[in-house]
Amino acid sequence: MPLSSHRRLALSTTLLAALAAGVVPATGAVAAPAAPAASATASDAAAAAAAARPTSPAPDMEGVTAALNAAMAKGAPGAMARFTGPRVVKTQTLGVRDRVSGAPMDAAARFRIGSVSKTFSSVVLLQLVDEGKVELDAPVNRYLPGLLPDDKITVRHLLTHRSGLADYTDKMFNQTVPGFEAVRKRVFSYQELVDLSLAEPRTTQPGVAYKYSNANFVVVGMLIEKIAGGPVAQEYERRIIKPLGLRNTSYVHPGTQITGLHARGYLHPDEAGAALVDSTEQTVSWAQSAGAIISNPADLNTFMTALMRGRLLSPTMLGAMTTVTPTDATNTRFYGLGLRRYDLSCGTQVFGHTGTVQGFYTYAFATRDGKRSLAAMANTSNRGEANTALGGTLEAAFCGKKPTTAKSASPADRGFSVLPAEQDLRERG
């Protein structure tokens, strides 16, 4: 083939390839379309799409501080909060962690997390469901024969507080300080706690209505130990604490000490003006799997974030855990499987749990995508106003700044929706 024919063939092949690719090559006086114009259009579209995506508000740390101050104004010696978000960690500490030494509150300090323990217990039991070792809608008596008087009570009823089992702590702590001192050093068996519940009238028929009861999660602890074949402490450690590297989290029972750097807890007596009671040392045997875990803010952030991101449960089980029903008439508070959901004023939904144990109030929540979390604590209890005030940290942290006409230490004055705290433990103060 002549050389000119080779050149014509090559040129034709190049032109066809270019046309197939949507590109017109420049020839002679015909100029190619300017590539930068197309790039600029794509860039503008990308920028517009990015601008259209919703962004999470920055945490209002002034509002968080106001909520902590409000909790202290209502009787807490100290308070703290730790917020985590994309590439950000913010902490605030106020007051003291020890009234005797005057040691300031410390964001690394450990404390008793009370009913936030229920979420840990739920995760362990739901992992056992994932493993096919227990069924959510099976009768509890299938696994613990003869324990409960009604075969209609299912595993799901326990986790959702719909079993009708009475909360034995109502009678146990009818008088706050005397009740606490009577059990401070006592060691109960699970069966003894169940018997205390069964001695009281049932609160509802199984599955009919939500009624919070610590007895439910005592039975959850019994199920874990029966099905897993080991103590709950071992299962918390093996399934949650070690995999997540929670160095400051532990289940201490029946020991009474909080080891290492920790905050001391202070219980308000029922009598107005009575001196605070240092309630730090106790067995928490009256709660066990319903409320005896010790942790700190960083570990609680890690735990709630990991849970919401699916690191601890299958998508099916996490979906079941976050399927909720209302707990009151406000239509902003809900309960799933060992997990609360709060719907905040800005439309954000947060999942987690509240915690009350003698001397400590705790909030530990995260967004459903696990991108933002908050852990807050005030070292007091039996003072509902302090608990309610501490709850104001959620609005400030997850909804960001709100317009205000005047500076105020009150979260309510700053435009936050502050509803009365939900009780995890009977309180009279």
Side-chain angles (χ1 to χ4, degrees):
M1 183 180 293
L3 182 60
S4 59
S5 298
H6 278 292
R7 287 175 178 169
R8 284 196 299 271
L9 179 59
L11 179 59
S12 299
T13 303
T14 302
L15 181 59
L16 287 171
L19 290 172
V23 178
V24 179
T27 57
V30 181
S39 299
T41 301
S43 177
D44 290 345
R53 284 194 291 266
T55 57
S56 301
D60 175 12
M61 293 309 293
E62 290 183 3
V64 170
T65 301
L68 299 180
N69 270 317
M72 290 178 58
K74 298 300 183 181
M80 62 176 165
R82 185 177 189 271
F83 173 87
T84 65
R87 298 176 299 280
V88 64
V89 175
K90 293 183 179 291
T91 61
Q92 180 60 275
T93 59
L94 297 172
V96 298
R97 59 183 174 84
D98 187 327
R99 296 178 71 231
V100 174
S101 70
M105 185 58 73
D106 192 311
R110 305 173 75 224
F111 53 89
R112 301 190 186 280
I113 66 173
S115 288
V116 180
S117 303
K118 291 178 171 67
T119 306
F120 282 76
S121 297
S122 292
V123 167
V124 172
L125 190 56
L126 291 175
Q127 286 183 353
L128 293 169
V129 176
D130 265 334
E131 294 164 12
K133 297 176 180 177
V134 60
E135 295 178 16
L136 273 176
D137 294 309
V140 173
N141 283 347
R142 176 189 296 180
Y143 308 102
L144 299 168
L147 178 70
L148 302 180
D150 193 337
D151 285 340
K152 294 179 182 177
I153 298 175
T154 67
V155 175
R156 189 188 299 273
H157 291 152
L158 298 177
L159 295 173
T160 56
H161 291 292
R162 289 175 173 266
S163 69
L165 296 176
D167 193 342
Y168 58 86
T169 65
D170 288 350
K171 186 173 183 179
M172 182 180 285
F173 301 125
N174 184 52
Q175 292 182 298
T176 301
V177 172
F180 167 65
E181 294 295 0
V183 301
R184 183 198 280 260
K185 296 181 181 179
R186 185 168 172 181
V187 178
F188 291 92
S189 69
Y190 281 130
Q191 187 65 58
E192 286 177 304
L193 297 178
V194 172
D195 289 344
L196 289 175
S197 172
L198 296 180
E200 301 297 319
R202 299 266 289 281
T203 59
T204 183
Q205 290 300 307
V208 171
Y210 168 89
K211 184 65 176 177
Y212 193 92
S213 174
N214 285 285
N216 290 316
F217 278 79
V218 168
V219 181
V220 167
M222 297 177 77
L223 282 169
I224 290 170
E225 295 198 346
K226 177 66 177 293
I227 296 164
V232 291
Q234 173 182 298
E235 297 307 311
Y236 292 143
E237 188 76 20
R238 183 170 72 88
R239 295 172 176 271
I240 301 174
I241 295 172
K242 282 189 176 179
L244 297 184
L246 306 182
R247 298 177 181 176
N248 289 291
T249 301
S250 56
Y251 177 79
V252 181
H253 177 265
T256 62
Q257 304 294 313
I258 305 178
T259 59
L261 177 68
H262 64 276
R264 302 196 70 81
Y266 298 96
L267 176 62
H268 280 271
D270 297 334
E271 301 76 22
L276 292 173
V277 174
D278 187 325
S279 52
T280 311
E281 279 82 34
Q282 63 158 310
T283 63
V284 200
S285 192
W286 60 265
Q288 299 187 52
S289 51
I293 289 178
I294 294 166
S295 192
N296 76 352
D299 277 9
L300 290 177
N301 288 147
T302 299
F303 170 61
M304 289 300 176
T305 296
L307 175 59
M308 289 297 102
R309 289 185 176 181
R311 290 184 58 192
L312 295 172
L313 297 171
S314 70
T316 298
M317 279 302 99
L318 183 56
M321 193 180 199
T322 54
T323 298
V324 297
T325 55
T327 61
D328 60 20
T330 67
N331 206 35
T332 60
R333 293 167 167 180
F334 305 82
Y335 207 90
L337 304 182
L339 197 69
R340 294 193 187 280
R341 189 187 90 191
Y342 285 174
D343 292 0
L344 304 180
S345 65
C346 58
T348 296
Q349 295 179 341
V350 292
F351 294 82
H353 216 291
T354 52
T356 299
V357 63
Q358 290 88 356
F360 302 98
Y361 288 132
T362 303
Y363 285 76
F365 284 82
T367 51
R368 181 61 181 83
D369 59 10
K371 291 182 178 179
R372 294 181 291 156
S373 69
L374 177 85
M377 183 276 283
N379 58 342
T380 198
S381 68
N382 199 39
R383 188 54 60 94
E385 292 178 333
N387 195 8
T388 295
L390 186 66
T393 57
L394 296 176
E395 283 280 337
F398 292 109
C399 290
K401 281 189 176 294
K402 295 186 179 182
T404 182
T405 55
K407 290 185 178 181
S408 170
S410 168
D413 290 343
R414 295 175 63 88
F416 301 135
S417 301
V418 182
L419 296 169
E422 292 186 281
Q423 291 190 1
D424 297 321
L425 190 66
R426 185 184 182 98
E427 295 194 311
R428 305 186 70 84

PDB file of all heavy atoms in Angstrom, residues 183-198:
ATOM      1  N   VAL A 183     -29.048  -0.940 101.114  1.00  0.00           N
ATOM      2  CA  VAL A 183     -28.529  -1.824 100.064  1.00  0.00           C
ATOM      3  C   VAL A 183     -27.124  -1.445  99.610  1.00  0.00           C
ATOM      4  O   VAL A 183     -26.559  -2.108  98.733  1.00  0.00           O
ATOM      5  CB  VAL A 183     -29.469  -1.830  98.835  1.00  0.00           C
ATOM      6  CG1 VAL A 183     -30.860  -2.296  99.221  1.00  0.00           C
ATOM      7  CG2 VAL A 183     -29.531  -0.467  98.158  1.00  0.00           C
ATOM      8  N   ARG A 184     -26.548  -0.411 100.197  1.00  0.00           N
ATOM      9  CA  ARG A 184     -25.235   0.077  99.743  1.00  0.00           C
ATOM     10  C   ARG A 184     -24.195  -1.036  99.668  1.00  0.00           C
ATOM     11  O   ARG A 184     -23.427  -1.114  98.705  1.00  0.00           O
ATOM     12  CB  ARG A 184     -24.738   1.186 100.673  1.00  0.00           C
ATOM     13  CG  ARG A 184     -23.415   1.799 100.229  1.00  0.00           C
ATOM     14  CD  ARG A 184     -22.733   2.570 101.353  1.00  0.00           C
ATOM     15  NE  ARG A 184     -23.261   3.890 101.560  1.00  0.00           N
ATOM     16  CZ  ARG A 184     -22.706   5.026 101.112  1.00  0.00           C
ATOM     17  NH1 ARG A 184     -21.612   4.964 100.389  1.00  0.00           N
ATOM     18  NH2 ARG A 184     -23.238   6.183 101.404  1.00  0.00           N
ATOM     19  N   LYS A 185     -24.156  -1.899 100.684  1.00  0.00           N
ATOM     20  CA  LYS A 185     -23.147  -2.955 100.720  1.00  0.00           C
ATOM     21  C   LYS A 185     -23.735  -4.347 100.499  1.00  0.00           C
ATOM     22  O   LYS A 185     -23.022  -5.341 100.566  1.00  0.00           O
ATOM     23  CB  LYS A 185     -22.419  -2.916 102.066  1.00  0.00           C
ATOM     24  CG  LYS A 185     -21.635  -1.623 102.297  1.00  0.00           C
ATOM     25  CD  LYS A 185     -20.923  -1.644 103.635  1.00  0.00           C
ATOM     26  CE  LYS A 185     -20.157  -0.346 103.865  1.00  0.00           C
ATOM     27  NZ  LYS A 185     -19.476  -0.337 105.188  1.00  0.00           N
ATOM     28  N   ARG A 186     -25.011  -4.403 100.213  1.00  0.00           N
ATOM     29  CA  ARG A 186     -25.665  -5.696 100.093  1.00  0.00           C
ATOM     30  C   ARG A 186     -25.400  -6.324  98.721  1.00  0.00           C
ATOM     31  O   ARG A 186     -25.288  -5.616  97.719  1.00  0.00           O
ATOM     32  CB  ARG A 186     -27.166  -5.540 100.302  1.00  0.00           C
ATOM     33  CG  ARG A 186     -27.913  -6.860 100.323  1.00  0.00           C
ATOM     34  CD  ARG A 186     -29.329  -6.724 100.802  1.00  0.00           C
ATOM     35  NE  ARG A 186     -30.063  -7.970 100.633  1.00  0.00           N
ATOM     36  CZ  ARG A 186     -31.330  -8.140 100.946  1.00  0.00           C
ATOM     37  NH1 ARG A 186     -32.030  -7.127 101.442  1.00  0.00           N
ATOM     38  NH2 ARG A 186     -31.927  -9.307 100.756  1.00  0.00           N
ATOM     39  N   VAL A 187     -25.311  -7.639  98.688  1.00  0.00           N
ATOM     40  CA  VAL A 187     -25.136  -8.371  97.444  1.00  0.00           C
ATOM     41  C   VAL A 187     -26.377  -9.234  97.219  1.00  0.00           C
ATOM     42  O   VAL A 187     -26.694 -10.110  98.022  1.00  0.00           O
ATOM     43  CB  VAL A 187     -23.876  -9.263  97.476  1.00  0.00           C
ATOM     44  CG1 VAL A 187     -23.755 -10.059  96.184  1.00  0.00           C
ATOM     45  CG2 VAL A 187     -22.637  -8.406  97.696  1.00  0.00           C
ATOM     46  N   PHE A 188     -27.087  -8.945  96.138  1.00  0.00           N
ATOM     47  CA  PHE A 188     -28.291  -9.687  95.773  1.00  0.00           C
ATOM     48  C   PHE A 188     -27.962 -10.720  94.700  1.00  0.00           C
ATOM     49  O   PHE A 188     -27.056 -10.533  93.887  1.00  0.00           O
ATOM     50  CB  PHE A 188     -29.350  -8.742  95.180  1.00  0.00           C
ATOM     51  CG  PHE A 188     -29.961  -7.774  96.148  1.00  0.00           C
ATOM     52  CD1 PHE A 188     -29.420  -6.512  96.328  1.00  0.00           C
ATOM     53  CD2 PHE A 188     -31.104  -8.114  96.870  1.00  0.00           C
ATOM     54  CE1 PHE A 188     -29.982  -5.598  97.198  1.00  0.00           C
ATOM     55  CE2 PHE A 188     -31.687  -7.208  97.747  1.00  0.00           C
ATOM     56  CZ  PHE A 188     -31.131  -5.951  97.918  1.00  0.00           C
ATOM     57  N   SER A 189     -28.753 -11.773  94.667  1.00  0.00           N
ATOM     58  CA  SER A 189     -28.738 -12.657  93.503  1.00  0.00           C
ATOM     59  C   SER A 189     -29.770 -12.119  92.520  1.00  0.00           C
ATOM     60  O   SER A 189     -30.685 -11.380  92.897  1.00  0.00           O
ATOM     61  CB  SER A 189     -29.102 -14.090  93.904  1.00  0.00           C
ATOM     62  OG  SER A 189     -30.478 -14.155  94.296  1.00  0.00           O
ATOM     63  N   TYR A 190     -29.646 -12.505  91.257  1.00  0.00           N
ATOM     64  CA  TYR A 190     -30.666 -12.124  90.288  1.00  0.00           C
ATOM     65  C   TYR A 190     -32.050 -12.593  90.749  1.00  0.00           C
ATOM     66  O   TYR A 190     -33.041 -11.880  90.633  1.00  0.00           O
ATOM     67  CB  TYR A 190     -30.362 -12.757  88.924  1.00  0.00           C
ATOM     68  CG  TYR A 190     -29.306 -12.064  88.099  1.00  0.00           C
ATOM     69  CD1 TYR A 190     -28.251 -12.793  87.552  1.00  0.00           C
ATOM     70  CD2 TYR A 190     -29.377 -10.710  87.825  1.00  0.00           C
ATOM     71  CE1 TYR A 190     -27.295 -12.173  86.747  1.00  0.00           C
ATOM     72  CE2 TYR A 190     -28.430 -10.088  87.030  1.00  0.00           C
ATOM     73  CZ  TYR A 190     -27.386 -10.825  86.501  1.00  0.00           C
ATOM     74  OH  TYR A 190     -26.446 -10.217  85.706  1.00  0.00           O
ATOM     75  N   GLN A 191     -32.095 -13.818  91.237  1.00  0.00           N
ATOM     76  CA  GLN A 191     -33.381 -14.386  91.637  1.00  0.00           C
ATOM     77  C   GLN A 191     -34.031 -13.572  92.744  1.00  0.00           C
ATOM     78  O   GLN A 191     -35.263 -13.374  92.734  1.00  0.00           O
ATOM     79  CB  GLN A 191     -33.202 -15.835  92.093  1.00  0.00           C
ATOM     80  CG  GLN A 191     -34.511 -16.554  92.378  1.00  0.00           C
ATOM     81  CD  GLN A 191     -35.372 -16.728  91.143  1.00  0.00           C
ATOM     82  OE1 GLN A 191     -34.941 -17.325  90.157  1.00  0.00           O
ATOM     83  NE2 GLN A 191     -36.608 -16.209  91.182  1.00  0.00           N
ATOM     84  N   GLU A 192     -33.253 -13.089  93.683  1.00  0.00           N
ATOM     85  CA  GLU A 192     -33.817 -12.264  94.758  1.00  0.00           C
ATOM     86  C   GLU A 192     -34.461 -11.000  94.203  1.00  0.00           C
ATOM     87  O   GLU A 192     -35.536 -10.585  94.662  1.00  0.00           O
ATOM     88  CB  GLU A 192     -32.722 -11.895  95.770  1.00  0.00           C
ATOM     89  CG  GLU A 192     -32.298 -13.028  96.669  1.00  0.00           C
ATOM     90  CD  GLU A 192     -31.164 -12.623  97.594  1.00  0.00           C
ATOM     91  OE1 GLU A 192     -30.115 -12.165  97.099  1.00  0.00           O
ATOM     92  OE2 GLU A 192     -31.332 -12.756  98.827  1.00  0.00           O
ATOM     93  N   LEU A 193     -33.830 -10.391  93.206  1.00  0.00           N
ATOM     94  CA  LEU A 193     -34.384  -9.169  92.612  1.00  0.00           C
ATOM     95  C   LEU A 193     -35.662  -9.476  91.830  1.00  0.00           C
ATOM     96  O   LEU A 193     -36.639  -8.717  91.900  1.00  0.00           O
ATOM     97  CB  LEU A 193     -33.343  -8.511  91.707  1.00  0.00           C
ATOM     98  CG  LEU A 193     -32.072  -8.027  92.409  1.00  0.00           C
ATOM     99  CD1 LEU A 193     -31.083  -7.442  91.392  1.00  0.00           C
ATOM    100  CD2 LEU A 193     -32.384  -6.979  93.477  1.00  0.00           C
ATOM    101  N   VAL A 194     -35.669 -10.589  91.113  1.00  0.00           N
ATOM    102  CA  VAL A 194     -36.882 -10.987  90.396  1.00  0.00           C
ATOM    103  C   VAL A 194     -38.010 -11.259  91.390  1.00  0.00           C
ATOM    104  O   VAL A 194     -39.165 -10.858  91.175  1.00  0.00           O
ATOM    105  CB  VAL A 194     -36.622 -12.219  89.517  1.00  0.00           C
ATOM    106  CG1 VAL A 194     -37.926 -12.762  88.933  1.00  0.00           C
ATOM    107  CG2 VAL A 194     -35.654 -11.878  88.399  1.00  0.00           C
ATOM    108  N   ASP A 195     -37.687 -11.908  92.492  1.00  0.00           N
ATOM    109  CA  ASP A 195     -38.703 -12.198  93.507  1.00  0.00           C
ATOM    110  C   ASP A 195     -39.283 -10.910  94.089  1.00  0.00           C
ATOM    111  O   ASP A 195     -40.496 -10.849  94.377  1.00  0.00           O
ATOM    112  CB  ASP A 195     -38.106 -13.054  94.626  1.00  0.00           C
ATOM    113  CG  ASP A 195     -37.817 -14.488  94.187  1.00  0.00           C
ATOM    114  OD1 ASP A 195     -38.339 -14.898  93.131  1.00  0.00           O
ATOM    115  OD2 ASP A 195     -37.055 -15.172  94.891  1.00  0.00           O
ATOM    116  N   LEU A 196     -38.451  -9.890  94.263  1.00  0.00           N
ATOM    117  CA  LEU A 196     -38.950  -8.601  94.757  1.00  0.00           C
ATOM    118  C   LEU A 196     -39.947  -7.999  93.766  1.00  0.00           C
ATOM    119  O   LEU A 196     -40.963  -7.416  94.156  1.00  0.00           O
ATOM    120  CB  LEU A 196     -37.786  -7.631  94.985  1.00  0.00           C
ATOM    121  CG  LEU A 196     -36.860  -7.929  96.160  1.00  0.00           C
ATOM    122  CD1 LEU A 196     -35.676  -6.939  96.157  1.00  0.00           C
ATOM    123  CD2 LEU A 196     -37.619  -7.829  97.486  1.00  0.00           C
ATOM    124  N   SER A 197     -39.662  -8.158  92.486  1.00  0.00           N
ATOM    125  CA  SER A 197     -40.579  -7.651  91.466  1.00  0.00           C
ATOM    126  C   SER A 197     -41.883  -8.434  91.463  1.00  0.00           C
ATOM    127  O   SER A 197     -42.977  -7.852  91.428  1.00  0.00           O
ATOM    128  CB  SER A 197     -39.921  -7.725  90.078  1.00  0.00           C
ATOM    129  OG  SER A 197     -40.851  -7.418  89.061  1.00  0.00           O
ATOM    130  N   LEU A 198     -41.789  -9.754  91.512  1.00  0.00           N
ATOM    131  CA  LEU A 198     -42.980 -10.593  91.428  1.00  0.00           C
ATOM    132  C   LEU A 198     -43.861 -10.483  92.670  1.00  0.00           C
ATOM    133  O   LEU A 198     -45.047 -10.858  92.625  1.00  0.00           O
ATOM    134  CB  LEU A 198     -42.577 -12.051  91.205  1.00  0.00           C
ATOM    135  CG  LEU A 198     -41.858 -12.342  89.878  1.00  0.00           C
ATOM    136  CD1 LEU A 198     -41.504 -13.825  89.777  1.00  0.00           C
ATOM    137  CD2 LEU A 198     -42.711 -11.912  88.695  1.00  0.00           C
TER     138      LEU A 198
END
